[in-house]
Amino acid sequence: MKKLMLGNEAAARGLYEAGVRFVSSYPGTPSTEITENTAQYKEIYSEWAPNEKVALEAALGAAVGGGRSFCGMKHVGLNVAADPLFVTAYTGISAGMVIGVADDPGMHSSQNEQDSRHYAKAAKLPMLEPANSAECRDYAKAAFELSERFDTPVIYRLTTRVSHSRSAVELGEREEIPVRPYAKDASKHVMMPANAKRRHYDVEAHLGALAEYAENCPFNTVEENGTALGIITAGNCWNYSKEAYGKTASYLKLGMLNPLPRKMILDFASKHEMIIVVEELDPVIEEHCRALGINVIGKQDGVLPMCGEYSEELLREKLLGDERAFCELADPIPPRPPVLCPGCPHRGVFYTLSKLRLNVSGDIGCYTLGAVAPLSAIDTVYCMGASISSLHGACKVRGEEDKWVSVIGDSTFMHSGLTGLVNVVYNGGNTTTIILDNSITGMTGHQDNPLTGKTLMGEKAPNLCLEDICSSLGVPREHIRAVDPQDLKELETAIKEEVAAACPSVIICRRPCALLKTAVRKPALTVDSSKCVGCRSCMKIGCPCISMDNKKARIDASICVGCGLCEQMCRVSAIG
Amino acid sequence: MKNMNIMIVGVGGQGSLLASKILGKAAMDKGFDVKVSEVHGMSQRGGSVVTYVRYGEEVYSPVICRGDCDVIISFELLEAARWLPNLKPGGVIITSLQKINPMPVITGAAVYPENIVGNIKGLGVDIRAYDTESIAREVGNPKTSNVALIGLAQTALGIDNETLRAAVAACVPQKALDVNLAAYDAGVKLAGAV
Ligand code: SF4
Ligand code: SF4
């Protein structure tokens, strides 16, 4: 049966058919739906781990424990998981293990444009990359055979457009593979120097064998269309190349990105007068070709860009000098950046921080949008968990603990905020941490986490209590307080008092995400235009429902959820 | 048939994912090679959202370039204007008249362009604009505007009514089946009447 499937959904199908038993991941766009979909198969135990390092280690344990396993993450998540990643090449596995990582060329939903192919090379692990949904399924299955044959985890790389495109997939049956017997082998699995020294030779040996395999593997294919032009490409860039060049070029499509073949590439290059390398992000294939002495057209000669996403249009423009005619309006088109939703519980927090003129060390999540006008509340956003730890450093050199706060979401706090808070307490910091507890992992589309009381598979989980956690980390009880961020007065008082405190403090802003089914939706509020004096105070909270119409505020009833925040802003009680 | 390139554009949260799912399924049921490219993540929070649907004999790229789109289905007027450069000469825009102010317009940093439909027509482009909100309200569920638009676009899509309607029925939440089919039918009827 053929089905139109999202790349990530097809990847999950491949995992299912490969007999995978265990999946542990942390959500991150564009990788999230792989794990959401494995959770739909009752044969696969699937879980959200608190972070990617834990997920990878759990998957390693499952594989060594004898069951085929998978962990999934976005590109920056692999940074968090890099420590166990490197050691897995040395220990090898027992049952197959695949590490899924989704890169985000063009940064649709990310803080950088890093290229995870470097990890495969650095950690000495094989890497596969599919180009469409059918390949997502096929490669996921094949990755396990590769993993078991060479006794190594395999990195399975996707990019946003492959993860989030739908195309046809032929469905197959699941292969039931029993759990392998466990045999203790400390020389292979206890990575202390004496053992690791020996294992390094094994790693180099199987890398050599993999390099041989790459020369003839089913993932690297050639399509010959004459000798004038050869394109070496991989993943979605193959799709763009096919659209731009059709049958006017030959293609070497690489599905195995590490190790890259040598003979195969040299042979392909020798048969074509001109070679172009088409790859997004870093010039990984290009550098490999240049090291082989092949003169290619690519990024390093400035023809193709280093930054951003590629497209058929880009290839046509840069390589073929072909620009299509198009029309556009004379009027400038205002941009439409994403905004906090109507009724978002974060809005009042950022409004208050802005009003109190506090500097804000921010973090990764929907609430990063608190940086955008008119709230403009956030000073810094780096990576998961950095809000607390980087503020600690800033305050150690500047003092000024009363002028700064860090703001972090519930899921991000559990991911990597805990250790930052321990550092504050341990090293005598007295910063204020605001935890936005909206009972869900919001930005990635509503995943459960250790604080929501529910697992990915819908089971009830122990309700971890943020107050208890912070208290046991050493934050004084009397300086841990929970507030409803919708109550602007209470919120302001709490923030003023805690930033002034001479000890570490935590404010938990507790209210569910406005998009959750459990969130209370009230009738839309309206503006009494006879009372409205047009002062624009209600506009300061940046709610997308409110606009000015003929010098009076107006609320769009079709999207207002009646949260009541704007009501508190109006000094003449025009809103109700 | 040559490849059809369709873009579904709107504002995050307006239901473009459902519309592209319907179209993708219908094209697949017709036996075409299909690629649908969706947007997940940050833009879904009220940002500008575009979904590409491509179908035909052989489709590789999931993305549609400037000057290459046959039909733009737009849930919001400003978004139709934003993606106009993607339309190919002779292409058609089918848009809702709904306007949603983006934050820069709300804060006064930018203005919402006036007379978008008239100005696009002035460029010689075939643009058909409809009050989809009132169609949706008439059938009894304001959330069905997106399905009404699919009905309004049917004749431009190269997919017959029966197949498209069946795809609507298969993709919408089953508890809202009747109201969605009513919205779709109303769209088809209105497009035929104009
Ligand atoms: S208009 Fe007011 S009540 Fe409605 S969602 Fe916005 S802030 Fe809340
Ligand atoms: S705060 Fe009140 S008076 Fe001022 S613009 Fe808004 S509704 Fe009108």
Side-chain angles (χ1 to χ4, degrees), chain A residues 342-343 347 486 524-525 541 543-546 555 559-567 575:
Chain A
R347 180 169 280 111
Q486 218 60 16
L525 298 191
I541 54 173
C543 176
C545 313
I546 313 174
I555 292 177
I559 47 177
C560 169
V561 296
C563 74
L565 199 69
C566 55
E567 202 178 347
I575 305 178

Side-chain angles (χ1 to χ4, degrees), chain A residues 181-510:
Chain A
Y182 175 72
K184 179 168 170 170
D185 182 357
S187 70
K188 187 165 180 276
H189 289 290
V190 179
M191 277 306 101
M192 53 191 187
N195 293 338
K197 275 179 196 162
R198 274 194 302 274
R199 287 298 298 171
H200 191 180
Y201 288 95
D202 296 331
V203 174
E204 296 304 330
H206 80 232
L207 261 187
L210 275 162
E212 270 309 305
Y213 172 82
E215 302 290 351
N216 285 304
C217 71
F219 310 108
N220 300 333
T221 53
V222 171
E223 179 190 337
E224 285 290 0
N225 294 309
T227 58
L229 173 64
I231 294 177
I232 305 179
T233 184
N236 205 28
C237 284
W238 172 71
N239 291 315
Y240 299 141
S241 304
K242 289 281 284 186
E243 295 281 358
Y245 283 92
K247 295 249 180 261
T248 66
S250 298
Y251 302 91
L252 170 53
K253 173 176 177 287
L254 298 168
M256 185 157 179
L257 276 299
N258 194 54
L260 287 167
R262 301 162 73 92
K263 286 200 278 296
M264 190 184 198
I265 290 178
L266 281 168
D267 185 52
F268 182 78
S270 72
K271 286 184 185 149
H272 299 93
E273 284 153 41
M274 187 164 81
I275 295 289
I276 305 176
V277 176
V278 182
E279 62 188 320
E280 281 170 326
L281 305 180
D282 294 343
V284 173
I285 301 171
E286 180 176 345
E287 278 174 5
H288 179 77
C289 290
R290 290 192 193 278
L292 291 173
I294 305 167
N295 189 17
V296 302
I297 295 171
K299 297 169 190 266
Q300 290 184 334
D301 50 8
V303 175
L304 291 168
M306 285 291 289
C307 307
E309 196 173 28
Y310 280 21
S311 65
E312 176 195 345
E313 179 175 331
L314 178 121
L315 298 186
R316 278 200 314 234
E317 261 178 49
K318 302 278 179 199
L319 296 168
L320 296 165
D322 162 18
E323 287 188 39
R324 299 261 154 113
F326 65 89
C327 54
E328 60 189 331
L329 287 181
D331 289 329
I333 307 291
R336 189 186 298 276
V339 286
L340 295 172
C341 302
C344 174
H346 305 328
R347 180 169 280 111
V349 177
F350 290 113
Y351 164 72
T352 306
L353 294 172
S354 208
K355 179 183 169 197
L356 297 176
R357 295 185 188 282
L358 288 166
N359 294 323
V360 175
S361 175
D363 224 298
I364 307 279
C366 284
Y367 50 92
T368 309
L369 294 171
V372 201
L375 294 165
S376 312
I378 296 179
D379 290 62
T380 61
V381 173
Y382 304 121
C383 60
M384 296 283 285
S387 56
I388 303 175
S389 32
S390 69
L391 179 58
H392 172 72
C395 289
K396 281 287 175 189
V397 296
R398 299 190 65 79
E400 298 188 345
E401 284 87 348
D402 56 342
K403 296 199 174 64
W404 283 83
V405 295
S406 59
V407 174
I408 187 167
D410 50 347
S411 180
T412 309
F413 181 70
M414 294 309 284
H415 177 281
S416 47
L418 291 164
T419 42
L421 189 55
V422 168
N423 194 42
V424 170
V425 172
Y426 172 49
N427 287 307
N430 59 12
T431 54
T432 300
T433 303
I434 298 180
I435 304 178
L436 304 174
D437 181 6
N438 63 351
S439 322
I440 206 74
T441 311
M443 173 107 288
T444 45
H446 289 168
Q447 290 74 31
D448 281 291
N449 68 51
L451 294 169
T452 63
K454 220 169 104 232
T455 69
L456 169 59
M457 314 229 353
E459 309 274 313
K460 212 173 147 7
N463 245 326
L464 295 187
C465 166
L466 265 179
E467 285 89 333
D468 289 350
I469 292 171
C470 296
S471 160
S472 60
L473 292 183
V475 179
R477 261 287 174 190
E478 60 282 15
H479 290 284
I480 302 171
R481 45 166 125 179
V483 297
D484 177 355
Q486 218 60 16
D487 184 338
L488 291 178
K489 269 211 190 84
E490 188 195 0
L491 178 68
E492 188 175 328
T493 312
I495 295 173
K496 275 188 184 153
E497 287 174 9
E498 294 310 335
V499 292
C503 66
S505 57
V506 171
I507 302 169
I508 301 163
C509 293
R510 189 165 276 146

Side-chain angles (χ1 to χ4, degrees), chain A residues 166 243 313 336 339, chain B residues 36 38 45 54 66 79:
Chain A
R166 288 179 195 275
E243 295 281 358
E313 179 175 331
R336 189 186 298 276
V339 286
Chain B
V36 178
E38 302 177 351
R45 303 280 168 269
R54 307 189 63 214
R66 242 179 357 190
E79 296 308 309

Side-chain angles (χ1 to χ4, degrees), chain A residues 4 33 109 161 164-167 240 242-243 313 317 324 326-327 334 336 338-339 366 442 539 542 544 546, chain B residues 24 34-38 40 42 45 47-48 54 60-62 65-66 68 76 79 82 85 100 103 106 111:
Chain A
L4 199 59
E33 301 81 9
S109 210
R161 293 291 182 190
H164 289 164
S165 293
R166 288 179 195 275
S167 54
Y240 299 141
K242 289 281 284 186
E243 295 281 358
E313 179 175 331
E317 261 178 49
R324 299 261 154 113
F326 65 89
C327 54
R336 189 186 298 276
V339 286
C366 284
M539 305 281 292
I546 313 174
Chain B
V34 183
K35 279 262 164 83
V36 178
S37 180
E38 302 177 351
H40 299 242
M42 196 168 252
R45 303 280 168 269
S48 170
R54 307 189 63 214
Y60 291 97
S61 168
C65 308
R66 242 179 357 190
D68 239 359
E76 199 274 349
E79 296 308 309
R82 184 184 317 284
I100 301 175
M103 199 44 77
I106 293 178
V111 286

